[in-house]
Amino acid sequence: MGVLKVSHEYECSLTHETFLKELRHPFLTGVNMDKRSAHRSVEEMYAKVKEEGLTNVHDRFDAMEKIRCNFCAKGVRCNICSQGPCRIIPGKVDRGVCGIDVDGMVMRNLLRINTMGTTAYTYHANTAAKTLKATAQGKTMFEITDEDKLKNVAEKLGLNIDLEIDELAESLADFLIEEINRDSDEPSKVLMAFAPESRKAKWKELGILPGGPLHETMDVNTSVMTNVDSDYVSMGLKTLRMGLATAYGSLTLLEEIQDILFGTAEPHEAEVDMGVIDPEYVNILPNGHEPFMGAALIMLARQDKVQEMARERGAKGIRIIGSIETGQELMQRFKCDDVFIGLTGNWLNEEYVLATGAVDAFVADMNCTVPTAGMYAEKYNSTIIPVTKLVNIPGVEHDINYDPEKVEEQAMQIIEKALDNFESRKGKPTNVPDYKRKIMTGFSPEAVLNALGGSLDPLLDTIKEGSIKGIVALVSCTTLKNGAQDETTIKVAEELIKRDILVLSAGCGNAALQVGGLTSLEAKDKAGDGLRAVCGSLGIPPVLSFGTCTDTGRLINLVTTVADALGVDPTELPVAVTAPEYMEQKATIAAVAAVAYGLYTHVSPTPPVTGSENVVKLLTQDLEGLTGGKIAVGDDPVDIADGIEKHIKGKRKELGI
């Protein structure tokens, strides 16, 4: 943990053994790389597809390990103009052709990654707003489920709460669309309503009080063109602005609107892992990050006449099974039963889930559907159905784009395609790993408050007395860069709860901990004495399933609520963030948002910034004096937990508890 180690050895010798070792993370030394996953279901399915000669994510990763570019790994390669690609080698080539130095190149590369995360979250938020507006106008099959939340959010934003419910919902939808498109010269109204006064004052002082996410992204994307902004500090401040615009302008209302539409999360049981798939049913798997089509499928599949359609085709019925983040969104808000079962796992499972031969419709919304899905579907008797204009997959027909006003008709089209697929696969072999487990899911700020009897006081008391030392938000993807799938995530969480640190989990890392058994009530036995006692008295796991990566805004607002209750600035709290296996662009901007807010934020694997000592110093040291937050790195679970615990103990000491 701590400051990144910076190497100046950039010469690329792809056949040199020491170079290959340098590309691996320290945690991998001595690790048995024959192990592919922390989950037995994936191990079993990997063996199957390997034997059958299919390309798969694990073998592709192994192949790439032999040819990785060390310039790219350190952030010192640029190809955004025709004069490149440029590579910087200290003492030999100190600047790109345009004249940019190593600090500017490294930071510019990082900003370009972050813009994709912001736009993806904002696309989701825009879809949520359009869905709420169409619902308010009576044009969808959905309805306003949580009227109290609608009124509470609207009141906080200064909207007229005396309107009729549908009019108020439409007003909120219009507000979010306006917020998304707010000029960068005008402060975000959501931020001004939800952020602590102390944070707003700090952000204004630093010049990072943002406008709307689309305009902030426009500013950043223009800045990182060739010959525009080449100062690494200036670009660093711009990405902090964009992170705050994302957390408040996109994510905060996104999750609130999904609660308003489908109900605010409440704790309940669910089942996870590949064993939730039963080949005798028509199995429809909504996959991605948006819950809208999945919600429609659940609502239709719960109708007797739709179940009868499946029985007429020779199936026991229709089941909706969540996949990755869409599954998390649905599990947060829909109780599980014999129709909506639960979740298969995170994105690294996708090929192996399709290889079971028992998936009738794999419904791909706006994020995280692997490019090989069509190939797997063809071999293993499945149908891939993209439901957004964003997703196109080789070999896959695409004729449905989610439209809130047509969602019932579109969901029925999907069901009919799944029924046809079931008929065509009947009698063909299936191979479903016999692994599943019960978990508890559905936690939210409201659910946490309810579990505490309606007041934060019991939680604050347990923190003050030390039964719970602190709280860590584990918001992560899953990646093979650190070794076996999900192993680092599980070990980090185990280390934290063993030290009496409560974990709130979200993202693909949440699925890692669900399938890994840490979101079950029985997991309290792995916690330290203090946390175990709290879990026993409240009837909660030591890891609370908080949903998806889009819950970053919700988690930040929970920290604000705790800080307000204690009368302190959020940076003074014994809290931290960890992304033990971040993978893609949404994760990086979420981490930036946490640092901008003022939180200690651990990320692994190490981001591609080590080519610049100044950028490393800015992220891991200097930012703490600006926002109160900083980036910490490290790949070993014990070291990660040590760093987080040291930070939490330091904050406890400063608070005098």
Side-chain angles (χ1 to χ4, degrees):
M1 301 291 292
V3 180
L4 303 174
K5 293 182 179 178
V6 182
S7 168
H8 293 302
E9 298 300 317
Y10 294 106
E11 287 82 353
C12 196
S13 176
L14 295 179
T15 59
H16 198 276
E17 190 66 27
T18 57
F19 174 72
L20 295 179
K21 288 180 180 178
E22 185 179 335
L23 288 179
R24 288 191 177 277
H25 286 266
F27 176 46
L28 299 188
T29 305
V31 171
N32 177 12
M33 293 306 293
D34 291 334
K35 184 178 181 182
R36 304 290 166 171
S37 173
H39 314 303
R40 291 178 295 175
S41 55
V42 176
E43 290 284 336
E44 186 175 299
M45 293 307 295
Y46 169 76
K48 170 184 168 61
V49 301
K50 177 75 170 177
E51 182 180 350
E52 294 176 358
L54 265 76
T55 176
N56 64 80
V57 65
H58 289 91
D59 288 351
R60 293 192 297 270
F61 180 85
D62 288 347
M64 289 296 163
E65 280 287 79
K66 300 171 184 176
I67 58 172
R68 293 193 192 278
C69 170
N70 208 21
F71 293 93
C72 297
K74 297 176 186 296
V76 293
R77 177 188 180 276
C78 179
N79 67 338
I80 66 172
C81 86
S82 67
Q83 298 182 114
C86 294
R87 302 187 299 186
I88 291 181
I89 305 172
K92 295 183 179 180
V93 182
D94 293 323
R95 293 179 180 268
V97 172
C98 71
I100 196 164
D101 62 16
V102 67
D103 304 324
M105 183 180 287
V106 169
M107 184 61 82
R108 188 169 68 183
N109 287 336
L110 186 62
L111 260 67
R112 290 174 66 212
I113 292 171
N114 287 336
T115 59
M116 288 184 275
T118 296
T119 54
Y121 281 135
T122 307
Y123 182 93
H124 187 166
N126 194 54
T127 305
K130 291 191 292 186
T131 301
L132 179 64
K133 184 166 184 172
T135 300
Q137 295 171 341
K139 296 178 179 178
T140 78
M141 67 182 297
F142 306 134
E143 58 186 33
I144 306 303
T145 300
D146 194 334
E147 294 183 7
D148 289 340
K149 169 158 281 194
L150 170 61
K151 292 175 182 177
N152 291 338
V153 171
E155 184 174 25
K156 194 159 190 174
L157 294 172
L159 303 180
N160 180 8
I161 61 171
D162 293 328
L163 297 172
E164 294 295 323
I165 287 297
D166 287 342
E167 292 176 315
L168 185 57
E170 186 170 356
S171 176
L172 178 60
D174 287 339
F175 181 93
L176 177 53
I177 292 169
E178 180 186 359
E179 174 74 2
I180 288 170
N181 291 278
R182 196 171 306 286
D183 193 280
S184 56
D185 289 334
E186 180 185 350
S188 159
K189 288 189 178 180
V190 177
L191 182 148
M192 298 306 288
F194 282 82
E197 292 301 322
S198 59
R199 294 285 84 203
K200 287 185 281 190
K202 173 58 68 174
W203 299 331
K204 186 174 182 180
E205 176 191 332
L206 293 172
I208 60 173
L209 196 65
L214 288 188
H215 276 255
E216 293 295 342
T217 308
M218 178 176 68
D219 290 357
V220 168
N221 256 334
T222 307
S223 293
V224 297
M225 289 175 61
T226 307
N227 299 336
V228 183
D229 192 341
S230 56
D231 178 73
Y232 79 98
V233 175
S234 169
M235 286 189 281
L237 291 172
K238 285 174 181 171
T239 199
L240 292 176
R241 278 181 64 116
M242 190 169 64
L244 291 171
T246 306
Y248 288 100
S250 297
L251 295 178
T252 291
L253 291 190
L254 158 61
E255 286 296 338
E256 303 290 17
I257 284 175
Q258 290 178 168
D259 285 350
I260 289 166
L261 286 169
F262 306 123
T264 300
E266 296 178 355
H268 58 273
E269 283 192 339
E271 290 187 326
V272 296
D273 211 346
M274 290 190 218
V276 300
I277 301 172
D278 186 336
E280 296 188 37
Y281 283 81
V282 177
N283 295 303
I284 302 176
L285 275 63
N287 179 82
H289 284 240
E290 294 181 330
F292 311 113
M293 190 64 77
L297 287 165
I298 291 172
M299 293 166 69
L300 284 179
R302 283 177 171 168
Q303 297 179 9
D304 291 339
K305 65 179 182 180
V306 175
Q307 290 294 325
E308 184 58 31
M309 290 168 60
R311 289 190 284 269
E312 288 172 357
R313 302 284 189 106
K316 284 185 175 180
I318 294 177
R319 283 183 168 173
I320 311 300
I321 300 169
S323 179
I324 69 169
E325 303 289 73
T326 294
Q328 297 287 359
E329 295 278 21
L330 295 172
M331 282 204 308
Q332 286 290 96
R333 298 172 177 88
F334 288 85
K335 297 289 178 68
C336 293
D337 54 19
D338 195 46
V339 175
F340 176 53
I341 302 300
L343 178 84
T344 55
N346 55 34
W347 84 269
L348 281 173
N349 288 23
E350 287 180 31
E351 291 171 325
Y352 305 121
V353 168
L354 289 168
T356 64
V359 175
D360 294 297
F362 193 80
V363 183
D365 65 55
M366 54 82 67
N367 204 182
C368 289
T369 295
V370 294
T372 55
M375 180 191 312
Y376 269 74
E378 182 177 3
K379 180 171 179 60
Y380 293 110
N381 312 306
S382 184
T383 299
I384 308 296
I385 308 175
V387 292
T388 169
K389 62 187 177 183
L390 301 187
V391 174
N392 286 281
I393 299 163
V396 172
E397 293 183 4
H398 185 169
D399 56 9
I400 298 176
N401 287 319
Y402 170 68
D403 181 340
E405 297 183 20
K406 298 177 181 177
V407 66
E408 185 170 7
E409 172 192 337
Q410 292 175 331
M412 186 55 71
Q413 281 182 262
I414 291 168
I415 288 172
E416 288 168 352
K417 289 174 183 281
L419 291 170
D420 290 342
N421 189 88
F422 178 84
E423 274 201 309
S424 69
R425 76 165 172 87
K426 272 194 306 186
K428 294 178 181 177
T430 58
N431 187 348
V432 178
D434 189 21
Y435 303 112
K436 62 181 178 180
R437 69 167 74 241
K438 285 190 181 297
I439 59 133
M440 183 174 283
T441 188
F443 287 92
S444 62
E446 293 85 356
V448 170
L449 199 63
N450 290 339
L452 296 168
S455 168
L456 281 174
D457 290 343
L459 175 62
L460 301 180
D461 289 343
T462 60
I463 293 174
K464 289 174 183 176
E465 70 188 25
S467 296
I468 295 177
K469 291 178 185 174
I471 301 174
V472 170
L474 189 155
V475 188
S476 192
C477 308
T478 181
T479 178
L480 299 180
K481 198 67 180 287
N482 290 12
Q485 173 197 359
D486 295 340
E487 194 163 67
T488 302
T489 297
I490 292 171
K491 288 181 177 179
V492 167
E494 287 177 339
E495 281 292 330
L496 291 172
I497 64 174
K498 185 170 68 176
R499 302 168 192 227
D500 292 320
I501 296 171
L502 179 68
V503 173
L504 310 180
S505 61
C508 273
N510 191 16
L513 302 182
Q514 290 166 336
V515 177
L518 294 182
T519 62
S520 64
L521 293 175
E522 293 75 20
K524 71 178 185 296
D525 295 334
K526 294 188 175 183
D529 292 342
L531 179 56
R532 183 166 60 250
V534 172
C535 291
S537 64
L538 296 178
I540 60 172
V543 175
L544 303 184
S545 174
F546 231 79
T548 77
C549 56
T550 56
D551 282 281
T552 300
R554 192 197 297 267
L555 288 164
I556 282 175
N557 291 328
L558 178 60
V559 173
T560 296
T561 303
V562 173
D564 287 345
L566 289 172
V568 300
D569 185 82
T571 61
E572 299 175 53
L573 294 174
V575 299
V577 176
T578 179
E581 295 187 37
Y582 91 88
M583 188 273 294
E584 52 105 83
Q585 300 83 12
K586 290 167 80 174
T588 62
I589 194 61
V592 166
V595 172
Y597 183 79
L599 300 178
Y600 175 105
T601 304
H602 163 262
V603 296
S604 178
T606 300
V609 297
T610 57
S612 165
E613 292 185 18
N614 285 329
V615 172
V616 168
K617 184 173 180 291
L618 176 66
L619 296 175
T620 62
Q621 294 180 9
D622 297 345
L623 273 179
E624 191 169 15
L626 298 175
T627 69
K630 69 174 182 179
I631 294 287
V633 298
D635 307 310
D636 179 76
V638 174
D639 290 345
I640 293 167
D642 284 345
I644 291 172
E645 185 179 31
K646 180 180 178 181
H647 170 78
I648 284 174
K649 284 182 175 179
K651 293 299 180 183
R652 292 180 62 86
K653 184 176 180 180
E654 290 172 10
L655 287 171
I657 59 176

